[in-house]
Amino acid sequence: MLLTTPSPIDLRSDTVTLPTAAMRQAMANAEVGDDVYGEDPTVRKLEWRAAEIFGKQAALFVPSGVMGNTIGIKLHTQHGEEFVCEAHAHVLDWELSMSAWFSGVFARPVAATDGVLRWSDVAPAVRTASPHNARTSLICVENTHNMAGGIVTPVAVAEELYAEAHARGLKVHLDGARIFHAATYLGVSVATLARHADTVMFCLSKGLGSPVGSLLVGTAEDISRAHSYRKRLGGGMRQAGVLAATGLISLEEMPRRLQEDHHHAQAFAAAIADIPGLAITHEVQTNIVIFDVTGTGQQPEAISARLRAMGVLLNGIDNARMRAVTHYDVSLDQCRRAADCLRHVLQPGASPLEPLLGSTRLG
Ligand code: TLP
């Protein structure tokens, strides 16, 4: 007899989504070739569509967001230069110092309290070359900003930054891992948000549901140079069409359902907002809810362990804060149940609830 194991409600990240039935079918049927020779028709189609959707000349399929950001930074900098980014940017905090390791550049962080990087934050940190200073050559922006609770940069704020940066000869790379979420929130196209960025990295394997892959979009010249950096990083893939096939589904079909994830994040936030000692750090605009648990007197790690015992996966991001990320594989009901579990474990002297049973897949 088979034992039923409870399916966890996984709010650790939107990277945990599983490929849909249509994606698995597309993988099985994908036309493939050797992409290092430029002969994989499905990869070429994905790159062509990504460039078209973003209003750019060309695109490069890469295995991960980190690789896309690494190549973006490499394209616009020389060894020994500086780039400016927000103090909690992914490129700074979560990419194992790849900018230093691969490009030999120094990240100069500037804090934007609400997570929206403005030109007024960036300007004082920009340096021109002198006997005492290394030159700033690049600004990295992140939209949505992951560690600022998925906050969106308004179009006008971004446009001012691009214009001021370009006026000073600086390049701008956009970490748009969740750029489709930003576009959904603002009700604009990703092309509008990408218009003035020199390069944009976006992920297929987060809210868009693909198992693997990101794209770097930009000018034909930059993307042509990017090929050699991808190869150096070990990202030259061969019959990668099996992955690109899911990417095409992500691009064409998944953006239209992101509003649902935003709604679920808001419902989760509303359901935990009055838990004593818990404070949501940012307005919930997209699919990420970050909350500070310091006031509960409990550590994120301990809360995480107790939630896990109840079938809810939700991690800390530091000693004070935890993050919940909604996605295709969690329903509204599951978000509400996760919130109930969180309330339960934060009650003084709470005992573990029964594990939660049920599928993590939306109907
Ligand atoms: N973010 C992951 C973790 O690395 C934190 C997550 O669970 O959110 N840019 C941004 C803004 C990201 O959030 C991430 C991944 C990346 C780049 C890197 O993408 P991958 O994981 O594909 O290398």
Side-chain angles (χ1 to χ4, degrees):
M1 199 176 84
L2 276 176
L3 283 177
T4 312
T5 30
S7 307
I9 298 172
D10 197 342
L11 293 169
R12 287 172 301 171
S13 182
D14 47 10
T15 59
V16 301
T17 50
L18 301 176
T20 63
M23 286 179 180
R24 287 183 185 273
Q25 195 61 50
M27 291 174 95
N29 296 335
E31 248 192 281
V32 295
D34 191 324
D35 183 49
V36 174
Y37 290 111
E39 291 172 1
D40 188 301
T42 313
V43 172
R44 293 179 99 167
K45 188 170 171 196
L46 173 68
E47 291 177 340
W48 178 80
R49 268 304 277 156
E52 184 180 58
I53 289 169
F54 278 77
K56 298 290 183 196
Q57 290 174 346
L60 184 70
F61 186 42
V62 289
S64 69
V66 170
M67 190 182 290
N69 281 337
T70 299
I71 296 172
I73 291 171
K74 179 71 183 164
L75 285 171
H76 305 306
T77 57
Q78 299 293 326
H79 205 92
E81 290 182 337
E82 297 191 1
F83 74 95
V84 178
C85 63
E86 206 285 319
H88 298 292
H90 198 276
V91 289
L92 179 65
D93 281 354
W94 301 88
E95 299 193 1
L96 298 97
S97 304
M98 270 305 276
S99 55
W101 193 73
F102 190 64
S103 301
V105 291
F106 179 77
R108 186 164 291 281
V110 296
T113 44
D114 57 359
V116 174
L117 192 65
R118 295 174 174 77
W119 176 251
S120 54
D121 303 315
V122 171
V126 171
R127 296 174 156 210
T128 45
S130 79
H132 305 290
N133 291 331
R135 172 178 177 262
T136 305
S137 44
L138 173 70
I139 315 295
C140 266
V141 292
E142 186 174 318
N143 194 13
T144 67
H145 191 319
N146 187 350
M147 291 298 143
I151 216 84
V152 174
T153 304
V155 176
V157 170
E159 304 245 302
E160 186 198 12
L161 188 142
Y162 291 128
E164 296 289 347
H166 288 151
R168 287 160 183 78
L170 304 168
K171 300 284 185 175
V172 185
H173 171 72
L174 169 57
D175 176 348
R178 298 183 180 84
I179 193 73
F180 283 93
H181 295 82
T184 300
Y185 175 76
L186 293 168
V188 301
S189 67
V190 289
T192 299
L193 301 181
R195 188 159 53 212
H196 301 293
D198 295 286
T199 42
V200 184
M201 183 285 291
F202 73 94
C203 295
L204 300 167
S205 61
K206 297 196 168 56
L208 302 186
S210 274
V212 179
S214 293
L215 283 127
L216 182 71
V217 297
T219 63
E221 195 194 330
D222 280 342
I223 297 304
S224 157
R225 289 169 57 220
H227 273 89
S228 70
Y229 297 133
R230 181 182 69 174
K231 192 73 164 67
R232 284 185 164 106
L233 288 164
M237 298 180 284
R238 300 297 179 171
Q239 288 71 35
V242 289
L243 300 175
T246 74
L248 281 161
I249 295 175
S250 286
L251 265 187
E252 307 292 358
E253 289 170 27
M254 300 303 267
R256 70 175 77 110
R257 59 155 306 283
L258 293 179
Q259 186 57 52
E260 205 173 292
D261 295 343
H262 298 182
H263 172 57
H264 294 174
Q266 275 154 17
F268 177 80
I272 64 166
D274 67 343
I275 296 178
L278 183 150
I280 296 168
T281 59
H282 294 81
E283 183 195 345
V284 178
Q285 296 180 340
T286 57
N287 68 327
I288 300 178
V289 184
I290 293 183
F291 49 96
D292 192 312
V293 293
T294 317
T296 66
Q298 296 195 44
Q299 289 287 317
E301 220 172 289
I303 297 170
S304 228
R306 300 191 68 198
L307 284 173
R308 182 176 284 267
M310 296 170 68
V312 174
L313 307 182
L314 200 160
N315 285 345
I317 52 171
D318 56 29
N319 287 338
R321 295 175 303 156
M322 303 186 75
R323 182 184 73 151
V325 187
T326 59
H327 52 79
Y328 184 67
D329 284 346
V330 283
S331 66
L332 178 59
D333 182 52
Q334 288 176 316
C335 288
R336 290 196 175 124
R337 282 195 282 157
D340 288 344
C341 290
L342 183 60
R343 183 179 294 277
H344 179 83
V345 302
L346 290 175
Q347 270 164 16
S351 62
L353 291 176
E354 287 299 307
L356 296 165
L357 289 166
S359 163
T360 57
R361 173 72 72 180
L362 277 177

